[in-house]
Amino acid sequence: MKKLIQGIIEFRRRHQKTYQENFGRLVRGQNPDSLFIACSDSRVVPNTFASTNPGDLFVIRNVGNLVPTCCNEPSSDGVAESAAIDFAMQSLRVSDIIVCGHSECGAMSALSDGLEKLSSPHLRNWLSNGKKSLEKLEDNGYIKPNFFHLSRHNQLSQINTLQQLDNLMTYPTVRSRVESGELQLHAWWFDIATADVFYFNQLSRQFQLIGEGPLKDWIFQDSRFPDENDSL
Ligand SMILES: [Zn+2]
């Protein structure tokens, strides 16, 4: 807490004036072009690794960067995520959704180790949204050569990141905008050890480092999402 207060004082002293012009514009409203869905993990820092500024990203963060599937039985589970997705689609009309998983994710470790071992019923309930990802890992259908050097929980994390694109497509507001070409979905993966960010290349079907190859490869992707029959 002390660090936070000192940070505010430092911000006021050194940076506030620089940001005032930007915030002065933002007071009229936000117009981010991307919805960014990430884990709550304190080490995942999109403002740092993507050099973003206030107003750039509309953000959902939760344990495990999970997107509960839409439109099942009425339930309070995932209501916040669903509301934020609808808002991003209908009001902000963002052009891109990025789901960003990460290495050494505690949520993925817990899922991989077995949810029955968790003492928190809330965590057990929430992480059950990742069961489909675990099934895909255990089916052992993900066969890309740059995948097997990863630990089991990091493999699960990459599969889980991709699974969330499937889950996003269960939202009618997302599906209709993807199908009309107004919206693209992207899977990114942040490696904590190196601070590298990878994107999922739909053509090679591998996570590839952002920073290698032409810029268009990382932006203008085919937003077709992996489906049940793909080799995930
Ligand atoms: Zn995490």
Side-chain angles (χ1 to χ4, degrees), residues 30 33 46-47 69 98 100 110 138 148 172 176 192 205 217:
Q30 60 169 330
D33 59 15
N47 289 5
T69 52
I98 299 146
C100 185
E138 290 175 345
F148 286 117
S176 66
I192 289 174
R205 305 195 60 73
D217 282 2

Side-chain angles (χ1 to χ4, degrees), residues 95-223:
S95 57
D96 296 271
I97 301 179
I98 299 146
V99 179
C100 185
H102 69 99
S103 65
E104 317 316 331
C105 179
M108 294 302 108
S109 295
L111 193 56
S112 173
D113 292 345
L115 296 183
E116 68 285 353
K117 293 181 184 163
L118 290 171
S119 57
S120 162
H122 304 299
L123 263 178
R124 268 201 310 276
N125 188 36
W126 174 250
L127 291 179
S128 67
N129 286 303
K131 278 184 177 169
K132 182 80 179 173
S133 307
L134 188 61
E135 284 169 20
K136 283 187 172 175
L137 177 70
E138 290 175 345
D139 283 350
N140 212 14
Y142 194 97
I143 51 169
K144 293 300 173 186
N146 69 347
F147 181 73
F148 286 117
H149 70 284
L150 297 173
S151 64
R152 177 180 159 88
H153 63 269
N154 283 342
Q155 290 182 13
L156 178 58
S157 175
Q158 290 199 346
I159 289 174
N160 182 65
T161 303
L162 290 168
Q163 177 61 39
Q164 305 321 304
L165 304 189
D166 278 6
N167 292 3
L168 278 166
M169 289 295 278
T170 64
Y171 289 74
T173 50
V174 171
R175 176 174 282 277
S176 66
R177 294 191 67 230
V178 167
E179 289 176 348
S180 69
E182 293 173 72
L183 176 70
Q184 293 203 43
L185 308 184
H186 313 268
W188 288 8
W189 198 71
F190 178 58
D191 186 349
I192 289 174
T194 60
D196 282 328
V197 184
F198 298 80
Y199 76 102
F200 187 73
N201 185 323
Q202 301 282 6
L203 299 176
S204 68
R205 305 195 60 73
Q206 295 185 23
F207 278 93
Q208 295 182 340
L209 183 64
I210 296 179
E212 289 179 347
L215 182 64
K216 65 178 175 54
D217 282 2
W218 318 318
I219 300 175
F220 303 109
Q221 294 181 54
D222 175 5
S223 60

Side-chain angles (χ1 to χ4, degrees), residues 39-41 43-44 62-65 101-108 157:
C39 184
S40 301
D41 192 301
R43 300 164 295 179
V44 178
N62 61 45
V63 176
N65 46 271
H102 69 99
S103 65
E104 317 316 331
C105 179
M108 294 302 108
S157 175

